[in-house]
Amino acid sequence: MSDPASPRSDTFGPDLAEVFGPSQSDGGPDLVQLLTPEGERVHHPEFDHDFSAEELRGLYRDMVLTRRIDVEATALQRHGELGIWAQLLGQEAAQIGAGRALRPQDYVFPTYREHGVAYCKGVDPLRLLGLFRGVDQGGWDPNENNFGLYTIVIGAQTLHATGYAMGMQRDGVVGTGDPERDAAVIAHFGDGASSQGDVNEAFIFAASYNAPVVFFCQNNQWAISEPIERQTRIPLYQRALGFGFPGIRVDGNDVLATYAVTKAALQRAREGNGPSFVEAYTYRMGAHTTTDDPTRYRLNDELEHWKLKDPIERLKVYLRRNGLVDQEFFDSLDAEAKELGHHLREGCKALPDPKPLDQFGYVFSEMTEEIAAQRDGFAAYLESFEESHA
Amino acid sequence: MSTATTQKITLAKGLNMGLRKAMEDDDKVLLMGEDVGKLGGVFRITDGLQKDFGEDRVIDSPLAESGIVGTAVGMALRGYRPVVEIQFDGFVYPAYDQIVCQVAKYTYRSQGKVKMPIVIRIPFGGGIGAVEHHSESPEAQFAHTPGLKVVACSNPVDGYWMIQQAIAHDDPVIFLEPKRQYHADKAELDESATPEPLFTSRVVRPGTDATVLAYGPTVKTALKCAEAAESEGRSLEVIDLRTLSPLDMAPVYESVRRTGRCVVTHEAHVNLGMGAELAARVTEQCFYSLEAPVLRVGAFDTPYPPSRIEEEYLPDLDRVLDAVDRSFSY
Ligand SMILES: Cc1ncc(C[n+]2csc(CCOP(=O)(O)OP(=O)(O)O)c2C)c(N)n1
């Protein structure tokens, strides 16, 4: 089995194990962790947080509901209601930790898999389905929840995030000393995206202008079938140093740690201390999307190994062991998840198809004569069929 | 006779004054690009603006075209109106993805909830004896992209007005500046005049025997051509298209229906260029008035050649006149 975190030296070049130390399937010595896979609470000298019972139950609930959104959407795709779906199974902690660390004034630039972050930002999960069903290209108003539209071109949004953060600087909402006012931006992307020019350019711009942006990479070990070793010869978080800002590797299956680390990174940005890079070390337990077949490139052992690190299970163990939950909590959460599933199932089928003439709308902020003429011509063409049937 | 509002300026000066005015009128307007600050741009179009508006509004950026355009998208999302300078036409390609996939599509993708008021200024065209990648005419690539508006100025007065109009416009505008003309000719600018709307073409020389369509650097060539033709007893009407997407065809159709002949000239390659689109439209709309097929005079379908032979490559007075002759031979 390929160890996803161990720098390979079997192809060419120096023995990287000598440079970076031995195999690191656990994320390596720099991995920030507050909750072990066995559900043990551990402490970290730099990134710790005193979680109340209420907060812990909240994070658990968020992860359960996010998994439900994912499972329902996957099922909807299987039933032909969605053309495709990008699953997040296994990445719930990375997304909820990051999503809950955000303040309302912070702005998110997502890729296409940030269903959990969207949920944290108050976007109705039903809205996420439009893109995948093909009824729209993002059915939410990005400025309503400060949650940008999903971005398909890998890495493009990291530049938008940086530009937006530079706009915040100019608007004087960074480093004001007023926590209610200070704002930051978070840009989500994957390990594959780290190879894109745009992501590297975003790092340069953010560092050069000290922009209040957190680069949040979910290293789920795979970019479709390309393993992390195909993207990088060094642990990803170490790249940040080369751009001149801190990089932190956090256990992406540990919601407490992702929360604490992202919170600190966002705070740093809001206070005017510039960008940082968070590598959430996690694993995509599902397929890349519903059209993917991971059995062609991934060994079952690997999946089994990561199942033991399930982000939801470990928090459940912790909550139970410390008497922070009772059966009623689970029952009501169950009911809530069912209700959410129902909402998605029924809502998805009810999403209205766009009308044929809708395709002409919004090419520009105002309709142009040329497009209006094409629309009117097409409308007349369509009407001619109706008449011939009459 | 000179009043306080009238002065003789070059295209470079017109653009500089227009940018300044736009920045004074709206404090959301920002300039971004390589060397646009202290240096004032390699062509000095942004000369003095950083000094007066500060580094937060005239932003010297890292050497990364995709980064410049991509961060401009973020700025626009935040409510700013970024004006981006691409140093030379041949260097717009690293930003091509951001331009066609993001800048052009954000409004459509968001169903009108988001506007993208970005202006991307590109010094374009050849004739300056440069090394490769400094003389290209990529306009068709952008005009072919829905969601982008593409305009080309050809003279100092248009430079002054069009840049302000493009900045005030709520959609993305690719703004092409004929670099060969930057410091070439002066024209009288009356700042108190009312400019023509941005997306309109204009008859710049009336005539009766044939219509010559041009934009950007070839407008001057077409005008010289009309002068030369006159001495041979032929009256050419020259239209400066000014806008390439959307095209303003009404004045073109009106003209061709009158003259019965049409020659299009641009510096870009002929194959699948703006001329092809113009020829198709004119043929569709003016078929019964045409005495000859619409003819195109552009660059050859080769990469831009070494500059010692660029005069052989670019459409010049003689090649346009030759096309006019051919048009009359039908
Ligand atoms: C520029 C670009 N190239 C290729 C693709 C096709 N594609 C979609 S997702 C993907 C893999 C992305 O991997 P990663 O960045 O690790 O994110 P993940 O999906 O694993 O979360 C690829 C190659 C794309 N969308 N954009």
Side-chain angles (χ1 to χ4, degrees):
Chain A
M1 172 189 132
S2 92
D3 177 346
S6 78
R8 275 192 190 162
S9 52
D10 53 357
T11 40
F12 61 89
D15 184 352
L16 291 181
E18 271 173 28
V19 185
F20 296 109
S23 158
Q24 303 179 339
S25 71
D26 60 352
D30 291 340
L31 187 82
V32 178
Q33 193 174 64
L34 299 181
L35 193 64
T36 68
E38 294 75 34
E40 299 288 344
R41 183 78 163 84
V42 287
H43 293 279
H44 191 275
E46 198 181 340
F47 302 100
D48 223 315
H49 180 83
D50 208 4
F51 292 94
S52 70
E54 190 64 34
E55 276 179 302
L56 292 168
R57 281 192 294 266
L59 292 170
Y60 180 78
R61 171 180 171 271
D62 291 339
M63 288 196 292
V64 168
L65 295 181
T66 296
R67 185 166 290 185
R68 185 59 176 239
I69 294 166
D70 194 50
V71 167
E72 286 295 343
T74 305
L76 281 165
Q77 195 280 334
R78 299 282 179 244
H79 286 110
E81 298 293 339
L82 301 180
I84 189 174
W85 176 250
Q87 296 154 277
L88 60 64
L89 186 70
Q91 299 181 218
E92 295 86 353
Q95 295 202 9
I96 297 302
R100 283 296 172 219
L102 293 161
R103 296 220 179 111
Q105 69 267 32
D106 297 332
Y107 207 104
V108 179
F109 284 84
T111 165
Y112 45 74
R113 204 191 290 280
E114 265 62 70
H115 321 313
V117 188
Y119 157 88
C120 290
K121 269 296 195 182
V123 176
D124 181 344
L126 185 59
R127 297 268 78 84
L128 305 175
L129 302 187
L131 176 72
F132 297 98
R133 187 172 167 85
V135 303
D136 59 45
Q137 292 174 335
W140 58 93
D141 181 345
N143 293 325
E144 207 165 282
N145 305 83
N146 282 7
F147 185 81
L149 296 176
Y150 275 0
T151 311
I152 307 290
V153 177
I154 295 295
Q157 76 282 5
T158 56
L159 281 168
H160 308 164
T162 305
Y164 195 94
M166 289 164 66
M168 282 177 164
Q169 286 175 316
R170 281 157 182 76
D171 290 344
V173 296
V174 182
T176 67
D178 175 1
E180 299 311 313
R181 200 172 143 71
D182 284 348
V185 177
I186 191 165
H188 293 269
F189 56 100
D191 42 294
S194 72
S195 297
Q196 284 283 342
D198 276 6
V199 173
N200 288 272
E201 293 189 19
F203 288 174
I204 303 270
F205 273 72
S208 169
Y209 299 115
N210 209 40
V213 56
V214 174
F215 296 106
F216 191 95
C217 175
Q218 287 165 80
N219 174 2
N220 64 15
Q221 314 301 329
W222 293 94
I224 312 187
S225 71
E226 307 273 7
I228 181 68
E229 300 92 318
R230 186 61 73 223
Q231 319 295 339
T232 183
R233 298 282 285 179
I234 67 164
L236 275 186
Y237 71 101
Q238 293 185 1
R239 285 216 188 138
L241 194 62
F243 291 93
F245 49 86
I248 309 138
R249 176 178 274 187
V250 60
D251 184 342
N253 285 25
D254 170 358
V255 70
L256 307 189
T258 14
Y259 175 86
V261 166
T262 314
K263 190 169 176 261
L266 284 165
Q267 192 54 27
R268 179 189 147 82
R270 291 188 203 106
E271 285 171 2
N273 296 318
S276 50
F277 177 81
V278 176
E279 178 192 357
Y281 196 77
T282 182
Y283 189 74
R284 158 164 67 70
M285 291 205 284
H288 169 70
T289 66
T290 46
T291 60
D292 176 36
D293 175 11
T295 63
R296 281 175 167 251
Y297 54 84
R298 196 169 79 177
L299 293 170
N300 202 40
D301 283 10
E302 187 182 283
L303 178 59
E304 293 306 317
H305 169 78
W306 278 92
K307 273 187 185 165
L308 300 173
K309 301 182 182 207
D310 188 291
I312 299 187
E313 284 311 309
R314 72 171 78 173
L315 186 54
K316 190 176 190 175
V317 169
Y318 180 77
L319 290 171
R320 276 224 168 104
R321 198 179 288 153
N322 290 280
L324 301 173
V325 284
D326 53 17
Q327 195 50 42
E328 204 203 314
F329 170 79
F330 289 113
D331 290 346
S332 82
L333 182 53
D334 211 29
E336 205 179 342
K338 277 199 183 111
E339 181 54 39
L340 179 60
H342 183 76
H343 170 63
L344 288 173
R345 280 193 303 279
E346 297 311 310
C348 178
K349 291 172 204 165
L351 285 175
D353 279 349
K355 308 227 166 12
L357 296 185
D358 286 351
Q359 64 189 309
F360 297 97
Y362 305 117
V363 178
F364 295 107
S365 55
E366 279 175 25
M367 178 62 78
T368 63
E369 272 175 45
E370 283 187 322
I371 296 170
Q374 289 182 18
R375 179 198 56 197
D376 296 346
F378 190 55
Y381 170 78
L382 292 177
E383 266 169 36
S384 74
F385 287 100
E386 278 163 29
E387 276 160 23
S388 67
H389 284 302
Chain B
M1 185 203 84
S2 86
T3 69
T5 55
T6 309
Q7 57 179 304
K8 280 208 146 220
I9 56 162
T10 58
L11 173 61
K13 181 71 180 164
L15 291 164
N16 179 273
M17 288 170 64
L19 288 167
R20 176 179 290 278
K21 186 76 173 32
M23 294 187 81
E24 281 164 1
D25 289 351
D26 182 351
D27 62 12
K28 292 290 180 192
V29 175
L30 304 172
L31 309 189
M32 306 169 67
E34 294 158 13
D35 306 301
V36 297
K38 284 219 167 59
L39 182 66
V42 291
F43 292 106
R44 310 291 186 270
I45 305 304
T46 55
D47 193 25
L49 297 177
Q50 191 183 60
K51 195 168 123 288
D52 296 338
F53 294 96
E55 291 183 16
D56 262 3
R57 291 191 65 196
V58 182
I59 306 171
D60 268 322
S61 55
L63 245 160
E65 284 73 16
S66 192
I68 295 167
V69 174
T71 50
V73 169
M75 293 276 206
L77 291 171
R78 182 71 194 178
Y80 287 86
R81 304 184 85 85
V83 183
V84 161
E85 177 174 301
I86 299 294
Q87 205 156 62
F88 283 90
D89 34 57
F91 307 134
V92 73
Y93 300 109
Y96 191 67
D97 161 57
Q98 282 287 344
I99 296 173
V100 303
C101 298
Q102 308 298 331
V103 174
K105 292 204 180 136
Y106 235 107
T107 299
Y108 194 70
R109 185 180 297 146
S110 69
Q111 288 162 318
K113 290 175 194 111
V114 170
K115 288 177 183 171
M116 253 317 114
I118 295 181
V119 175
I120 300 174
R121 294 182 35 237
I122 309 178
F124 85 125
I128 60 162
V131 294
E132 64 169 343
H133 311 301
H134 290 72
S135 305
E136 317 214 334
S137 299
E139 58 270 23
Q141 325 230 16
F142 298 111
H144 191 63
T145 304
L148 296 178
K149 291 180 177 170
V150 184
V151 303
C153 59
S154 68
N155 64 74
V157 176
D158 269 357
Y160 175 75
W161 292 116
M162 285 171 71
I163 191 65
Q164 293 180 63
Q165 293 167 322
I167 293 169
H169 190 69
D170 275 341
D171 293 316
V173 179
I174 305 288
F175 193 92
L176 301 167
E177 302 168 2
K179 65 170 86 75
R180 185 181 0 169
Q181 237 83 276
Y182 274 145
H183 304 284
D185 308 310
K186 285 192 171 180
E188 191 91 6
L189 170 71
D190 178 0
E191 285 176 82
S192 65
T194 308
E196 281 170 68
L198 181 57
F199 303 108
T200 54
S201 54
R202 181 170 61 218
V203 176
V204 286
R205 182 188 167 109
T208 52
D209 300 339
T211 304
V212 180
L213 305 180
Y215 57 87
T218 56
V219 173
K220 189 171 171 182
T221 317
L223 286 170
K224 275 196 200 153
C225 194
E227 238 168 72
E230 197 173 57
S231 60
E232 294 171 15
R234 270 184 194 148
S235 160
L236 304 187
E237 177 146 303
V238 178
I239 297 184
D240 180 355
L241 290 168
R242 299 170 78 244
T243 174
L244 308 182
S245 182
L247 278 163
D248 177 26
M249 294 301 288
V252 176
Y253 298 150
E254 194 279 319
S255 173
V256 176
R257 284 189 189 118
R258 232 176 338 94
T259 65
R261 297 176 206 280
C262 182
V263 172
V264 188
T265 178
H266 52 55
E267 287 197 2
H269 317 290
V270 166
N271 189 37
L272 296 170
M274 289 304 302
E277 180 62 32
L278 289 158
R281 291 196 194 201
V282 168
T283 306
E284 260 184 44
Q285 295 298 321
C286 309
F287 187 70
Y288 293 106
S289 314
L290 284 172
E291 304 285 344
V294 181
L295 299 177
R296 293 169 290 163
V297 187
F300 305 112
D301 293 312
T302 63
Y304 203 90
S307 63
R308 289 295 191 117
I309 51 166
E310 68 183 331
E311 295 307 333
E312 260 55 68
Y313 168 86
L314 296 168
D316 63 0
L317 179 77
D318 290 335
R319 278 174 58 205
V320 181
L321 275 176
D322 176 61
V324 171
D325 284 348
R326 277 189 287 130
S327 179
F328 277 95
S329 72
Y330 277 89

